Amino acid sequence: MTAVQALAEHIAEYNDLLNTMNILRWDMRTKMPPGGANTRGMQLATLTRHAKRHFVSDKTAKLLDAAESETALVDADPYAARAIAQTRAAYELQKRIPAALVGKLAELGPASEAAWASAKAASDFATFQPYLEQMLALNIQLADAIGFSDQPFDALVQQFEPGMTAARLGALFGELRAGLLTLLARITAKDEPLPRDLWAQEYALGAQRQLCHEFAALIGFDYARGRLDSAPHPFEVSFTREDVRITTRYDLHYLPMSLFAALHEAGHGLYEQNVSPRLTRSALTTDFIGQYAVGGTSYGAHEFSSRLWENQIGRSREFWALHFGRLRRAFPAQLKGIDAALFHRAVNRARPSLIRVEADEVTYNLHIMLRAEIEMALLDQSLAVADLPEAWNAKMQDYLDLTPPDDARGALQDVHWSAGTFANFPCYTIGNLMAAQVFAAAHTAMPDLPNSLARGEYGELRDWLTREIYQHGRAYSSDELLTRISGESLSTAPLLRYLESKYSALYGLN
Ligand code: ZN
């Protein structure tokens, strides 16, 4: 056995541990009764310790050293050199993070999340403040352990979006904010309530479930290698490309919730199902080495796929012109007198709102910028936790001209910080930017694409995405992928152009 193969086998065991944890998490979020929570936490903590010990070990160091000296084999294999370099970088990063700190973060998590949930229910920030202060302090320690030259945020964002920095995000956000605020002002001047409130009726859950299954299949989600279940907070997780789980959630009245969550998560699922078979555990080729966490190259890159299928495809006029009939057949009484055009307007109405997860495509990124700016300030300690609600409300007023009536609809609305996740929010906007950039590049590469999409033929786009992006798994960074297909790294122009064109048509802007 070559040294590279030996490294691949060692990493494969790490992969098995990580995916076993994923199976436990999938079960926890979809099927587990509440009584299982305590023990499941212990099981996950044990496996986390074993996985870390396996990866940050002398054996990994020795195998990496040996593999790095085996250049002949590496040269013959397009992915192996990158895979070994990525594994080296991950190893060095993990080694810098003290096990005691990881333990403290894991230990504080459940209590902090519980404190957040009850603080949110009572809209009482003060009861959550001490937990957030501890969580922030641990994350500042984590940033120090990882290391950074400019801002603590830069260290933490590497965990989700390698190569991203606060300075680079600041420049992208500046352009995006200017463009979005101008567009939003023009839309707001023309916005009117729809002639009928489509979400006042009841939409039976069984029929919704059937439609969600159909829509995910329409865009190419493969049920021979995947499942769709329901979960209170929708997510996607895969154990290999041959077993990809997606979820959605159902509301009896608000039909778009289940449909768009299903398309979003199926978009994540398409990335996983179309990673090259050569990069999977079962093949155990040397290409596999860099792929132990499976799937997309970064959080933002994964979010590109979900947003593209949810928004550029699922919220398009063409999609509903073709598929609204399915909805009307499922809900003839509720949708009587409604046509595809009105439904399309109803699911695309843009206006300032308080809650991120309910925001439209125009205002959504303003919610993200606000959070990213606040977490940068919390991490460099220019903002104290005690002053967070006030800073939040001032930014809401500034960007969206709204002031939250309470902290439940303000600084307490998201779970992320209570769970100890900082510097992750920007990945949602990176995903939106990347979706528009990739979609524009696909149109340049395939001039006939609008016609095939209008016919409901999604295979041409999916095959192109597979060839250019999905199949490579984590082998190339998102900037490398973007530069290959569009000639430039992450940019704001394609998203602003896409929104301008879409909303000009929707609102008759000029
Ligand atoms: Zn997502």
Side-chain angles (χ1 to χ4, degrees):
M1 186 167 31
T2 67
V4 179
Q5 283 165 341
L7 178 62
E9 300 232 328
H10 180 65
I11 295 299
E13 285 179 18
Y14 180 49
N15 176 79
D16 289 343
L17 286 168
L18 295 182
N19 280 322
T20 307
M21 286 156 66
N22 278 345
I23 296 168
L24 292 178
R25 287 198 189 99
W26 175 83
D27 173 75
M28 180 172 81
R29 293 171 186 168
T30 55
K31 307 283 177 194
M32 188 182 76
N38 243 337
T39 333
R40 187 56 50 90
M42 292 172 200
Q43 293 159 345
L44 283 166
T46 299
L47 285 169
T48 304
R49 271 196 308 276
H50 278 280
K52 172 135 186 161
R53 213 176 288 150
H54 184 88
F55 187 63
V56 188
S57 64
D58 293 344
K59 188 171 180 189
T60 305
K62 281 201 192 90
L63 289 169
L64 267 173
D65 288 343
E68 281 163 346
S69 63
E70 227 170 42
T71 49
L73 193 142
V74 162
D75 287 344
D77 192 319
Y79 291 138
R82 288 178 158 269
I84 292 167
Q86 285 168 347
T87 306
R88 166 64 73 185
Y91 171 78
E92 299 297 340
L93 183 108
Q94 289 293 327
K95 213 172 67 171
R96 286 202 292 273
I97 303 172
L101 180 56
V102 177
K104 276 187 207 160
L105 277 162
E107 217 170 285
L108 181 59
S112 171
E113 273 189 60
W116 164 77
S118 49
K120 185 183 173 185
S123 196
D124 178 11
F125 184 79
T127 59
F128 174 53
Q129 187 183 320
Y131 290 92
L132 185 56
E133 281 166 347
Q134 288 178 63
M135 209 38 120
L136 177 64
L138 291 175
N139 270 276
I140 291 170
Q141 287 178 38
L142 180 61
D144 287 336
I146 293 172
F148 57 89
S149 55
D150 186 16
Q151 289 200 37
F153 179 92
D154 295 346
L156 298 185
V157 77
Q158 298 317 308
Q159 305 171 98
F160 313 110
E161 203 62 34
M164 189 47 75
T165 62
R168 189 169 167 213
L169 276 174
L172 290 167
F173 284 179
E175 292 170 17
L176 192 56
R177 179 167 38 240
L180 291 177
L181 288 177
T182 313
L183 176 61
L184 183 60
R186 289 158 62 213
I187 291 171
T188 307
K190 288 224 168 187
D191 184 52
E192 279 170 30
L194 292 165
R196 215 176 93 192
D197 179 4
L198 299 187
W199 323 131
Q201 321 232 20
E202 291 190 356
Y203 296 88
L205 299 189
Q208 285 196 43
R209 205 167 293 129
Q210 180 58 36
L211 285 164
C212 287
H213 271 88
E214 277 178 32
F215 281 138
L218 265 182
I219 63 167
F221 185 75
D222 178 3
Y223 288 104
R225 302 188 289 127
R227 284 183 60 89
L228 168 63
D229 292 273
S230 92
H233 302 284
F235 65 98
E236 174 272 342
V237 67
S238 82
F239 316 138
T240 136
R241 76 190 286 282
E242 314 299 335
D243 186 353
V244 178
R245 310 292 175 96
I246 59 173
T247 55
T248 189
R249 64 174 159 180
Y250 299 92
D251 184 277
L252 190 57
H253 297 278
Y254 191 58
L255 179 61
M257 179 182 285
S258 65
L259 299 180
F260 289 105
L263 284 168
H264 180 99
E265 302 305 337
H268 280 300
L270 288 180
Y271 203 147
E272 302 283 336
Q273 289 188 328
N274 291 297
V275 168
S276 163
R278 294 179 62 213
L279 299 181
T280 62
R281 171 70 170 101
S282 52
L284 199 56
T285 59
T286 51
D287 297 338
F288 164 77
I289 295 167
Q291 309 294 324
Y292 40 82
V294 201
T297 189
S298 68
Y299 278 63
H302 225 290
E303 201 63 16
F304 116 76
S305 185
S306 57
R307 300 282 164 153
L308 186 149
W309 290 103
E310 176 193 354
N311 292 333
Q312 270 82 0
I313 301 297
R315 287 184 204 270
S316 66
R317 185 181 300 279
E318 295 75 16
F319 188 89
W320 291 110
L322 209 56
H323 302 305
F324 182 68
R326 291 170 191 265
L327 257 54
R328 252 220 314 255
R329 280 192 295 279
F331 302 111
Q334 293 89 330
L335 295 173
K336 194 160 185 247
I338 306 296
D339 62 10
L342 183 64
F343 188 82
H344 176 245
R345 269 173 62 203
V347 298
N348 281 293
R349 191 175 176 199
R351 51 185 176 154
S353 63
L354 294 168
I355 307 295
R356 173 183 62 91
V357 296
E358 292 165 9
D360 55 85
E361 285 181 82
V362 178
T363 57
Y364 186 89
N365 295 299
L366 296 165
H367 289 269
I368 295 300
M369 285 177 213
L370 169 154
R371 285 157 178 74
E373 287 159 4
I374 284 179
E375 56 190 6
M376 285 173 197
L378 286 171
L379 287 163
D380 74 15
Q381 300 177 69
S382 56
L383 175 67
V385 170
D387 300 329
L388 166 57
E390 202 183 314
W392 183 289
N393 294 352
K395 280 189 191 290
M396 278 300 286
Q397 190 59 51
D398 199 11
Y399 296 170
L400 289 165
D401 208 14
L402 291 172
T403 293
D406 49 49
D407 290 336
R409 281 171 282 183
L412 284 173
Q413 68 182 264
D414 297 307
V415 69
H416 301 57
W417 295 332
S418 77
T421 308
F422 286 81
N424 177 261
F425 278 120
C427 297
Y428 298 113
T429 286
I430 292 170
N432 286 330
L433 293 173
M434 200 172 158
Q437 199 166 338
V438 170
F439 200 54
H443 279 80
T444 307
M446 296 175 287
D448 194 45
L449 186 60
N451 295 321
S452 54
L453 294 179
R455 289 192 300 267
E457 294 161 12
Y458 304 111
E460 188 185 3
L461 175 62
R462 196 174 57 250
D463 290 347
W464 185 83
L465 291 170
T466 298
R467 209 163 50 242
E468 301 295 334
I469 300 178
Y470 295 158
Q471 65 156 334
H472 300 300
R474 292 156 46 117
Y476 302 101
S477 72
S478 35
D479 273 331
E480 284 174 317
L481 293 168
L482 284 172
T483 306
R484 276 161 46 141
I485 60 173
S486 74
E488 58 177 353
S489 60
L490 191 66
S491 148
T492 57
L495 179 62
L496 289 171
R497 266 199 304 270
Y498 156 76
L499 291 174
E500 171 71 33
S501 144
K502 172 170 180 169
Y503 280 88
S504 290
L506 266 165
Y507 281 84
L509 306 178
N510 41 43

